Amino acid sequence: MTRLFFLHVPILLLWTLFKLVEGTDSSYHDQVVRDFLKEDQGSGHTNNWAVLVCSSRYWFNYRHMANTLGMYRTVKRLGIPDSNIILMLADDVSCNARNRFPASVYSNGRRNLDLYGENIEVDYRGYEVTVENFLRLLTGRVEPSVPRSKRLLTDEKSNVFVYMTGHGGAEFLKFQDNEEISAFDIADAFEQMWQKKRYHEIFFMIDTCQANTMYSKFYSPNILATGSSELGESSYSYENDADIGVAVIDRYTHLVLSYLENINKTSRSTMQQLFDAYDFNRMRSHAGVRTDLFKRDPSKVLLTEFFGGIAQADIVAAEDVIDAQRFVDQSSSGRVALNLQQAAERGEVTAILPQGLVLARNLDNFTRTWVGAVCIMVLITLSYFLG
């Protein structure tokens, strides 16, 4: 009986140790997954959209089209797909007979980057860019015949970046040089969007003369706004190209794009850091920011929450362990997606996260195997001495 007692006690202790390791392991990784999913819930949005508007026509307004295309290139680079970008260009200077570089648009005299490129998708062009179409786009009041590519298919979980550039004045912006949109029009459109649950948060940016007056009439919640110049101020061009013959970009937009060029999809740079980068000596105007309608602190709002895409995470049940590094190593060969899919079908993956990171439910097979091996070795040793 004594030998049997001394044999049972170690067995129970070892079994308890094994279950503790397994339970702690599982709880730890479940918590890791929960923490990851809660990490960016400060905003609570699930998708990002961009509405980019060049409202100016004619060759001498070349810079306004370059402004808009520069912003288009940036939001695409940071992860917003074309399906979530509405691009409105009132003129096509790339095909203008005076363009010495046909089918191209440049924003600096070195001409090292063609903003027009081969992968541009213009949703509204030429005479389609009107005040009516812009307001219908925002509010969703479009004709049934309008294709999906020309619709702003947002919902209450959408963050919307609205960028506008052109010629303006106190509380108005010109469209096509023959009609105007007022600050009241945009404010009422945003209110309709809020009432119809068409946005979660809006970031409004405008580059025009007296730009800050364009957001002065906003009254809907969750709107962060910024502009290039105060009441009575002009918004100036930045650089001329002697071969093109006109200014190719505005100072305010050039500063913003230069700042955004230094961030990537995983950047932790905030809105406040962008606003702090505003420099009168570079812009020659006083850029403004309005935050009273926005419930969050701009210093805690990432730029990528409006300029970037949203990475999705899929959760599947799992009991077994998967080697995350194996998938990361294979990602460059193009096999990672297939491996992740197969692993999910086998029930091996707990969470598939961005950048190919895979979290497993249990710590690793190595740990569990060695705990089991130690238990067996101890039992064999006890049996030998007690036998």
Side-chain angles (χ1 to χ4, degrees), residues 18-309:
F18 181 79
K19 296 305 290 184
L20 283 175
V21 171
E22 183 180 38
T24 303
D25 181 21
S26 177
S27 300
Y28 169 76
H29 280 279
D30 285 346
Q31 187 61 45
V32 170
V33 173
R34 285 193 295 269
D35 290 345
F36 173 83
L37 295 176
K38 292 179 181 178
E39 181 177 323
D40 289 322
Q41 286 186 351
S43 170
H45 71 293
T46 60
N47 55 93
N48 285 354
W49 286 74
V51 179
L52 313 176
V53 183
C54 167
S55 65
S56 295
R57 196 169 182 82
Y58 306 124
W59 172 253
F60 55 82
N61 292 318
Y62 182 107
R63 67 187 184 279
H64 294 153
M65 185 169 173
N67 291 345
T68 311
L69 289 176
M71 204 64 69
Y72 171 79
R73 171 186 173 272
T74 295
V75 296
K76 281 190 67 175
R77 179 180 64 82
L78 293 177
I80 300 183
D82 264 315
S83 59
N84 287 30
I85 301 174
I86 304 297
L87 181 59
M88 307 181 78
L89 301 178
D91 200 352
D92 192 355
V93 297
S94 63
C95 296
N96 192 294
R98 283 170 285 192
N99 190 353
R100 188 172 177 180
F101 309 98
S104 299
V105 176
Y106 298 101
S107 61
N108 61 66
R110 298 183 302 277
R111 293 186 294 278
N112 54 352
L113 178 63
D114 180 7
L115 296 175
Y116 207 76
E118 299 178 353
N119 297 317
I120 183 175
E121 294 185 16
V122 183
D123 301 293
Y124 292 80
R125 69 169 71 239
Y127 290 112
E128 292 181 320
V129 182
T130 64
V131 172
E132 179 182 354
N133 282 344
F134 176 66
L135 295 177
R136 285 183 176 277
L137 171 74
L138 293 179
T139 60
R141 298 172 179 267
V142 297
E143 297 293 335
S145 59
V146 174
R148 289 178 60 88
S149 62
K150 292 188 175 185
R151 297 173 184 246
L152 186 65
L153 302 175
T154 54
D155 55 37
E156 60 185 346
K157 293 295 185 180
S158 303
N159 274 9
V160 185
F161 169 48
V162 180
Y163 173 83
M164 305 184 75
T165 184
H167 288 291
E171 300 178 2
F172 74 88
L173 178 70
K174 289 183 179 181
F175 270 65
Q176 302 281 358
D177 208 35
N178 62 9
E179 62 174 341
E180 300 171 353
I181 189 171
S182 72
F184 295 94
D185 295 330
I186 300 177
D188 290 341
F190 285 168
E191 176 61 18
Q192 287 188 50
M193 291 180 69
W194 176 253
Q195 294 295 338
K196 297 167 71 173
K197 298 182 178 180
R198 287 179 56 79
Y199 76 84
H200 177 68
E201 292 174 337
I202 288 178
F203 177 46
F204 178 79
M205 177 181 285
I206 183 167
D207 189 353
T208 185
C209 296
Q210 308 185 68
N212 302 350
T213 63
M214 288 300 293
Y215 56 71
S216 62
K217 305 304 178 183
F218 292 174
Y219 55 93
S220 305
N222 296 355
I223 299 179
L224 179 64
T226 185
S228 60
S229 53
E230 292 180 343
L231 176 65
E233 284 187 336
S234 296
S235 184
Y236 296 98
S237 61
Y238 176 73
E239 184 176 359
N240 293 317
D241 186 314
D243 291 322
I244 294 176
V246 293
V248 293
I249 195 169
D250 282 319
R251 287 181 172 273
Y252 172 77
T253 297
H254 177 266
L255 183 147
V256 172
L257 292 177
S258 297
Y259 186 90
L260 294 176
E261 196 66 24
N262 295 317
I263 75 170
N264 55 36
K265 297 177 182 179
T266 59
S267 173
R268 307 300 294 180
S269 295
T270 66
M271 285 290 182
Q272 190 59 54
Q273 289 174 313
L274 171 62
F275 300 152
D276 291 342
Y278 289 172
D279 184 355
F280 175 82
N281 293 324
R282 293 178 60 186
M283 296 184 295
R284 298 181 184 175
S285 61
H286 294 89
V289 179
R290 184 177 177 186
T291 61
D292 59 297
L293 299 173
F294 200 67
K295 65 182 180 181
R296 295 196 290 151
D297 184 350
S299 65
K300 298 180 181 178
V301 180
L302 300 181
L303 286 169
T304 51
E305 291 186 46
F306 289 97
F307 291 98

